[in-house]
Amino acid sequence: AMLRFDMTEYQNEEDIERLIGSTRTNEPGILTSKMRSSPYSVILLDEFEKSNDKVKNLFLQILDEGFFSDYLGQKINMRNTMIVATSNAGAQLIWDMIEKNIDPSLMERQIIDHIQKERVMSPELLNRFDAVIVFRPLDDQARKEIARLMLERLAARLKKQNMTLKITDELCATVAKGGYDPTFGARPMQRFIQDKIEKIISEKIIRGEIKPGSEFSLSSET
């Protein structure tokens, strides 16, 4: 049971009420309700560094003590919950290391010190996590594998229309190259598939070059 929170939605101090509840509206918060209904869960805090300091302090208490108090002062147990937080903090420093051929995993201490110096997250908060994992930018092989997964989803949709897209290494390489952005990672690949690959397929279907029951492939020259 995974619960995902987009922490960019909790950038203001009053946003904490959306998590723990509000006496003003007399409504329970999202986190409160979820923990009562699913106490055995994995919580993903996406882009955690963008949340308000008051929200960060809430999770500091949760990570430290295993519970928090809702808007009515009732304790909510989270000791059976696993918390994973993602962050882009230190991304530029990691890129600088990559350009200098320095393995970021060997410079973990420097990256964490940078995050603390920039006051992105406090030492107290970082120390409550069991581990801090530094990720490298995606290499060429990883990008191709991600492209293949995305293309397989497109192929599954076409299969429902009795059309078979043959996914080749060449097509994966084209998507991996054309859709990858060093700043945004692999996410723009999906847009590339929509804007380029799906458009090409649609035009071929309209022209009658791809018909129901057929198997087809695409090349970089298509």
Side-chain angles (χ1 to χ4, degrees), residues 193-205:
I193 291 175
Q194 292 173 351
D195 293 345
K196 303 293 184 181
I197 307 301
E198 291 185 18
K199 181 180 179 182
I200 292 171
I201 294 174
S202 298
E203 290 174 348
K204 285 180 174 288
I205 292 174

Side-chain angles (χ1 to χ4, degrees), residues 150 175 178-181 183-193:
M150 292 181 175
V175 172
Y180 178 71
D181 187 310
T183 302
F184 299 104
R187 289 178 180 174
M189 283 188 196
Q190 189 60 51
R191 178 62 62 83
F192 181 86
I193 291 175

